[in-house]
Amino acid sequence: MNNFYQNQNRWKVVFIIGALFIYGVSAYFTNRIVKNMSVEERKRMVIWAEATERIAISNDGAEMGFYLNIIQNNTTIPVILTDGNNKVLSVMNLPQMRQNDSAYCQKRIAEMQLHHEPIVVELGQGLTNIIYYDDSTILRQLSVFPIIQLGVVSLFVVLAYFAFSSARKAEQNGVWVGMSKETAHQLGTPISSLMAWNEILKQEPNANSGYLSEMQKDVDRLQMIADRFSKVGSLPDLQPTNLNLAIAEAVDYMRARVSSNINISVTDKTTGNVQVALCASLFNWVIENLIKNAMDAMNGRGSITISITEQGKQAVVLVSDTGKGLPKSKFKTVFNPGYTTKQRGWGLGLSLAKRIIEDYHCGKIIVSASEINVGTTFKITLPIV
């Protein structure tokens, strides 16, 4: 599960960096557009000023109509035209109700001077007009767009963070519930057996030591289960181990505990002495889980075949059953914590198996083949030492 959380945290970082990158690129190009539009608006106001000047000195009616058309075509840039004494002569593109408000116009002039340098119009004979202007509505909207975009991106990142955190918390809860059920399941058989032996001893106080021997086996089983669970949370000590013997031990244990309607066979195509680095108790747990899953898939009747081969520097173990099979879409899903096809299952066995093989033994476990109503084959690959 450490890999799951590491990957989840990695994706969080990637997601945040990606969001900031998108914001940065968008803000950069928006600022460029704003600067270019600001330059263009300045050019328009210069033309507007020239038109105002030409109207003042021209006597040609056609020419005056042309320049008036230029002035009237400005429908977006706020403009205040004053004389040399700062008396407001005309106003364009400001709120209609405030255009005759002298105090408002003076306030707007002060604001416009902060944003743009006024344009002086020479009318001749020492007379001048001054044009004050501000950014157009579109330019103002573009100017604040990066801020709005940053807010949207930030909100999106925050929501995504909480979504990831909620998913992680739900995953953790599922794992803890699954681990609890798995623990109860693992402990159930030997504890029930011990209770039965205890009842027998109560009824037969002079029973022979054979009962004590069987009880000792159950106690040893409990100790092994505790040892397995203690190793799940830490890196186990791996020792060079004969893979063939390790599998034989796990199969012998399971054979004594499965229905007579299930046949478990082992096909060894190796030299019989394949050495791999193993934590034997955890590896046996994997084999037991695969056999249990096969038993469930076959509804208590069928064949389980375990094949051991060598491929270069890799040992390959195939566990095949004659059960109900899996659709191809579920080949990876079966290893997710909580996945199960059993009505009362906990869905943690294959997830633990994957962690034990891949995280602890540097191997690989996959569903190599499956066909509905024909069977499934799991493939384990381990490096040979």
Side-chain angles (χ1 to χ4, degrees), residues 23-35:
Y23 165 74
V25 171
S26 177
Y28 170 75
F29 283 104
T30 301
N31 286 333
R32 285 191 61 181
I33 293 171
V34 168
K35 288 180 180 179

Side-chain angles (χ1 to χ4, degrees), residues 237-253:
D237 182 25
L238 304 182
Q239 298 293 334
T241 306
N242 186 310
L243 178 63
N244 314 72
L245 295 180
I247 291 176
E249 180 181 349
V251 170
D252 289 342
Y253 174 81

Side-chain angles (χ1 to χ4, degrees), residues 105-121:
C105 289
Q106 293 301 323
K107 178 183 177 183
R108 292 293 284 125
I109 287 172
E111 293 173 354
M112 290 174 177
Q113 284 182 292
L114 294 175
H115 299 155
H116 301 284
E117 182 181 351
I119 300 174
V120 178
V121 181

